[in-house]
Amino acid sequence: MRLNIGLAAGLLALLAAGLLLGETQLTAAQLAQAFAEPGSGPHEVLFAIRLPRTVAAAVVGAALGLSGAVLQGLLRNPLADPGVLGVAGGAGLGAALAISLGFAAMPGAVEAASLAAALAAGLLLTAVAARFREPETLILFGVALSAFAGALTSLVFNFSPSPVTLQEVFSWLLGSVENRDWDDIGRELVPMAVGAGLCAYAARGLVMLTLGEETAALSGLPMARLRTAAVAGASLLTGAAVAMAGIVGFVGLAAPHLVRAGAGADPGRVLVPSALAGAGLLVAADLAARLIPTDLELKLGVVTALFGGPLFALIAWRAARSWRG
């Protein structure tokens, strides 16, 4: 409980920083004007641009953090990540196809195509999870699915009808919550809520899996159903997150590791702290993307990769040491 309260307090502080800080610094007088005069310039900057952008970053980060915690508990692998099962790659492929086919001008079309492709990938993974209980099988299938989606996305790049379209696809795949509004957030809240509910339902199975497959099978719990719920929930969360913000890596990997020492070994108790940590990480990353002085604003996926890459290497190194020792 203390961990969750501390993470929530830190998240609120980051949300406040996301509202107050940016390329344009608001003075105290402008902040007062933003609250007192709806429709004024400061009001638009604060409530129509920064607030939905910051909330979008928090929602996406929470979804990725939660899905990462579920997958690490399900696969019993500290290197598991929402991207490892190919759902993020499928969502990226759907968005790339929609942009290349000229649907980018239609509001919500790219996001809908991204989510639909992610759901298709999730259905395949759910079918595999229901058929095979070995985590290695699911990981290998996810890697294959991710590679295939990446290959198809490369084909979209190759056959892009114009350099402008190519740039749009590339920019979207780098990830960003820039220019997100309340409609964008609202469209993804339903699949995220369903995914979070499935993950909460699967928490009992994650706890039993820490005792081994045989013990879990003898526990009397519907392990096949719980395993399927975990995969489906993680797929929905990841797909909706990618649909809103593009491909943003390493948040789902890092968030569970940051809270596991305080939350304990129970995978079920890691879920909520991981969601809060993921939200805080992505709000901080988006704030860094806005504040780092560059000619063009850094993409969100670039910022998370810059910090997440070394973290991934550190986690892999520590895991290798534990396996050897």
Side-chain angles (χ1 to χ4, degrees):
M1 180 62 72
R2 290 182 179 178
L3 176 62
N4 290 342
I5 293 174
L7 289 169
L11 176 59
L12 288 175
L14 286 169
L15 289 172
L19 288 178
L20 299 177
L21 303 177
E23 183 178 353
T24 301
Q25 303 298 328
L26 297 178
T27 65
Q30 289 174 323
L31 284 174
Q33 183 183 6
F35 285 95
E37 300 180 19
S40 63
H43 182 275
E44 291 299 310
V45 169
L46 194 63
F47 293 105
I49 299 175
R50 289 186 183 174
L51 182 59
R53 175 174 179 163
T54 304
V55 170
V59 169
V60 170
L64 293 175
L66 178 56
S67 61
V70 168
L71 291 177
Q72 289 180 17
L74 175 68
L75 303 176
R76 301 186 296 286
N77 188 330
L79 301 180
D81 175 83
V84 75
L85 295 184
V87 178
L93 172 61
L97 282 172
I99 294 172
S100 295
L101 294 175
F103 293 113
M106 298 174 57
V110 175
E111 291 83 357
S114 176
L115 182 59
L119 291 178
L123 286 174
L124 286 174
L125 290 169
T126 302
V128 172
R131 178 69 175 82
F132 304 99
R133 70 180 187 181
E134 297 82 4
E136 294 81 4
T137 302
L138 191 60
I139 291 174
L140 290 174
F141 185 84
V143 170
L145 183 61
S146 181
F148 185 65
L152 292 179
T153 304
S154 297
L155 279 178
V156 173
F157 272 102
N158 285 342
F159 294 109
S160 182
S162 70
V164 174
T165 302
L166 183 64
Q167 179 62 32
E168 288 181 2
V169 173
F170 187 68
S171 178
W172 195 92
L173 293 177
L174 288 178
S176 177
V177 288
E178 186 180 6
N179 299 324
R180 290 304 179 192
D181 57 27
W182 298 114
D183 290 338
D184 297 319
I185 297 171
R187 277 193 291 266
E188 309 306 331
L189 282 181
V190 173
M192 284 184 178
V194 174
L198 289 171
C199 290
Y201 171 74
R204 296 178 300 162
L206 301 181
V207 175
M208 293 307 302
L209 283 173
T210 61
L211 304 176
E213 285 285 348
E214 292 184 1
T215 304
L218 296 173
S219 66
L221 293 175
M223 291 305 300
R225 190 184 308 163
L226 293 173
R227 200 176 277 108
T228 301
V231 174
S235 299
L236 274 170
L237 287 167
T238 304
V242 174
M244 190 187 302
I247 297 179
V248 179
F250 295 106
V251 174
L253 171 71
H257 284 278
L258 292 176
V259 302
R260 189 166 284 122
D266 183 347
R269 297 182 62 182
V270 176
L271 299 186
V272 173
S274 295
L276 291 172
L281 282 173
L282 208 59
V283 171
D286 182 57
L287 188 58
R290 284 189 271 163
L291 294 179
I292 293 175
T294 54
D295 292 335
L296 294 176
E297 181 178 304
L298 291 177
K299 291 294 185 180
L300 190 55
V302 175
V303 176
T304 58
L306 285 173
F307 292 98
L311 177 63
F312 186 88
L314 176 62
I315 293 171
W317 179 70
R318 292 178 61 183
R321 288 188 61 187
S322 65
W323 292 334
R324 290 176 60 185

